[in-house]
Amino acid sequence: MNETIELLKAHRSIRKYSDKPVSREIVEQVIAAAQMASTSSNVQAYSVVAVTDPERKQKLSQFSGNQAYIVECPVFLVWCADLSRLKNAAQHHFPDSESYEGATENFIVATVDAALAAQTAAIAAESLDLGIVYIGGIRNQIQQVAELLHLPELVYPVFGMCLGYPDQEPGLRPRLPQQAILHWEEYDSAEGEKQVALYDEMMSKYLRDRTGGAKDTPWSRLMAEKLTMPSRLHMKEFLQQRGFKLD
């Protein structure tokens, strides 16, 4: 095994940070690494807003379900899918032509670009002994987040990322068995279901050990509960209002 693979396999979400500051230079190094992530056709359809102001972090925390670690982390990164640059380029070079920057395909490209860059940043950060946790909760009140950060049309916040030096040592959360997600030649639904059953047992034990027996809900039950509860149903309308046609 090599050092990079060991680093990747040691990933843990960090939700408690020391008071050690993260310098602007470190943030710029992390983002420089992120910029080298794969990007579809070199469109680089993402932007990052780095937030360090305590008052602004407090508001972002409130918009995200009052997650305290947004306030406590030294730097909060908001990763945005950004098609505004592409629209500007089209208007500049082909002002008389119709452009399709808001189409569903470009929405997917921008969202994937943001995710690829963010995960590359996460790896870079962890290589510098920093810790991160992704915050999907910024989509809870996404309009307020967009207004707070002055995001233009065709830009939406995909997720946030806390960044700082860890002040905790959480254990590794077990993942699905590889046989559940790696299929050779064709998709094997039967094997997938078998592996989920095995994972349910693994996660039940993990939760019992972690909570002293207070919880042991199987993973598939947790996912079923998640999917049968409405979640952020405002997203489609928000995206359409920001210029994403999703067609």
Side-chain angles (χ1 to χ4, degrees), residues 139-140 229-238:
R139 299 191 300 276
N140 290 354
M229 294 291 290
S231 176
R232 301 172 188 146
L233 300 183
H234 56 269
M235 282 299 301
K236 182 177 180 180
E237 181 180 359
F238 168 81

Side-chain angles (χ1 to χ4, degrees), residues 109-149:
V109 165
T111 303
V112 171
D113 265 16
L116 292 173
Q119 186 58 19
T120 303
I123 297 165
E126 291 175 348
S127 76
L128 297 171
D129 297 324
L130 292 158
I132 68 100
V133 63
Y134 284 97
I135 305 294
I138 64 167
R139 299 191 300 276
N140 290 354
Q141 299 184 58
I142 195 166
Q143 181 64 46
Q144 291 89 331
V145 171
E147 291 173 358
L148 178 67
L149 302 179

Side-chain angles (χ1 to χ4, degrees), residues 179-196:
Q179 296 93 322
I181 63 166
L182 176 60
H183 303 265
W184 290 94
E185 311 302 343
E186 61 184 28
Y187 197 103
D188 189 340
S189 296
E191 182 62 26
E193 292 177 7
K194 175 184 174 182
Q195 295 299 324
V196 166

Side-chain angles (χ1 to χ4, degrees), residues 10-25:
H11 168 72
R12 298 162 297 172
S13 293
I14 299 299
R15 295 178 173 86
K16 188 176 181 182
Y17 300 90
S18 74
D19 57 6
K20 181 179 178 180
V22 177
S23 70
R24 191 183 189 98
E25 291 74 21

Side-chain angles (χ1 to χ4, degrees), residues 153 235-246:
E153 185 182 41
M235 282 299 301
K236 182 177 180 180
E237 181 180 359
F238 168 81
L239 291 167
Q240 290 174 332
Q241 290 174 347
R242 298 197 69 77
F244 296 96
K245 298 180 179 64
L246 304 182

